[in-house]
Amino acid sequence: MENTTLRETQSMTNLQAVIARTETTTSDWKQALPVLTGSMVTLRELRISDATSLLAMLSSAEVARFISPPPTTVEGFERFIAWTHRERAAGNYACFAVVPHGMDTAVGIFQVRQLEPGFGTAEWGFALGSAFWGTGMFMDGARMVIDFAFETIQTHRLEARAAILNGRGNGALRKIGAMQEGILRKSFLRNGEYLDQALWTILDEDWKQQRVIWGARIH
Ligand SMILES: CC(C)(COP(=O)(O)OP(=O)(O)OC[C@H]1O[C@@H](n2cnc3c(N)ncnc32)[C@H](O)[C@@H]1OP(=O)(O)O)[C@@H](O)C(=O)NCCC(=O)NCCS
């Protein structure tokens, strides 16, 4: 009886510790995003000083073709970066800079925004300077952002939308293991034309399963 009580007390203490840990990790990102280090890139909070590099990387025609129009000036990017900090502090959104190892400034971004209060469902998006396409940096950064979404923000469903005409965007989502759920007809207005988009999703349980498979391949 005494042992049972002790065990119960112990498991309560463990439970409280888990809850406390979870609360700390889930709220910490609102103060400042964690620095995530991969094999090719580091993901970190955007800095105002990234504005020049991001303008050069993201406003080229090939990058901007299928995404919401990025700012067109350094000042515009500075305002965007300040906005990302405010939205992160409010707990609505997180935007990571992609910084290749050996470099200091951002060559792209990964964003995650809540689609409902509390981040139960979230949407992610990404863009890299075209010089970095096909290098493996997308996969390296994407794995860390998806881990962040499921483990830190505790999203359970991560959505992405990609214009059907965006071969690389759809190819990248398929490769990371997202599932195409359907087509959102004429859902994206770009250059005065409504484009169809594919809706891609990853569920927390799918991701855990995939991690086990990757883990098994690595070891
Ligand atoms: C989306 C983006 C971040 C992906 O990064 P990336 O380095 O190009 O991605 P990867 O090369 O790792 O993967 C793309 C995959 O699509 C494949 N692909 C390329 N063109 C394709 C096409 N026309 N049709 C189908 N698949 C295509 C590639 O072969 C690659 O697969 P593989 O590695 O198995 O060969 C990058 O292309 C980008 O910034 N694009 C502009 C912004 C954008 O469109 N963002 C996405 C909005 S959903």
Side-chain angles (χ1 to χ4, degrees):
M1 182 68 179
E2 234 173 68
N3 276 348
T4 311
T5 314
L6 190 65
R7 263 204 309 276
E8 279 170 1
T9 312
Q10 186 62 51
S11 58
M12 277 300 288
T13 313
N14 288 346
L15 185 63
Q16 279 157 357
V18 168
I19 291 169
R21 235 186 357 256
T22 305
E23 280 173 356
T24 313
T25 46
T26 50
S27 59
D28 274 350
W29 68 272
K30 298 176 190 169
Q31 312 295 321
L33 292 180
V35 175
L36 308 174
T37 308
S39 58
M40 303 186 76
V41 299
T42 296
L43 302 184
R44 59 153 172 79
E45 185 102 51
L46 282 171
R47 298 177 188 145
I48 299 292
S49 57
D50 290 317
T52 308
S53 163
L54 284 183
L55 176 66
M57 295 290 159
L58 304 187
S59 53
S60 68
E62 66 273 23
V63 174
R65 191 165 166 212
F66 297 118
I67 57 178
S68 302
T72 52
T73 61
V74 172
E75 295 70 33
F77 264 101
E78 288 174 352
R79 282 193 295 277
F80 166 71
I81 293 166
W83 175 86
T84 67
H85 295 164
R86 288 196 301 278
E87 285 295 294
R88 184 258 302 139
N92 300 325
Y93 168 90
C95 186
F96 286 95
V98 181
V99 183
H101 292 339
M103 290 182 67
D104 202 30
T105 50
V107 304
I109 56 172
F110 280 93
Q111 329 182 60
V112 186
R113 72 180 176 106
Q114 63 178 6
L115 291 180
E116 60 184 89
F119 260 105
T121 306
E123 181 179 21
W124 68 311
F126 34 78
L128 291 178
S130 54
F132 300 89
W133 293 1
T135 59
M137 289 187 191
F138 166 76
M139 286 295 277
D140 191 33
R143 284 184 186 136
M144 293 190 285
V145 170
I146 300 169
D147 280 346
F148 171 80
F150 290 127
E151 287 167 17
T152 304
I153 296 188
Q154 298 189 324
T155 290
H156 87 92
R157 174 182 158 93
L158 191 57
E159 298 185 357
R161 288 159 177 71
I164 299 293
L165 296 173
N166 185 352
R168 294 204 85 89
N170 288 291
L173 284 159
R174 183 173 293 109
K175 196 166 62 162
I176 199 72
M179 179 180 285
Q180 191 180 308
E181 286 190 352
I183 304 299
L184 306 170
R185 296 184 304 157
K186 297 202 183 297
S187 55
F188 181 48
L189 183 60
R190 191 75 185 93
N191 294 330
E193 189 191 355
Y194 278 105
L195 302 179
D196 291 350
Q197 291 176 293
L199 174 65
W200 294 89
T201 58
I202 308 174
L203 300 183
D204 48 1
E205 63 233 46
D206 300 343
W207 188 245
K208 277 186 202 121
Q209 187 81 31
Q210 199 163 311
R211 290 305 251 160
V212 170
I213 295 166
W214 276 339
R217 277 201 202 125
I218 289 163
H219 297 296

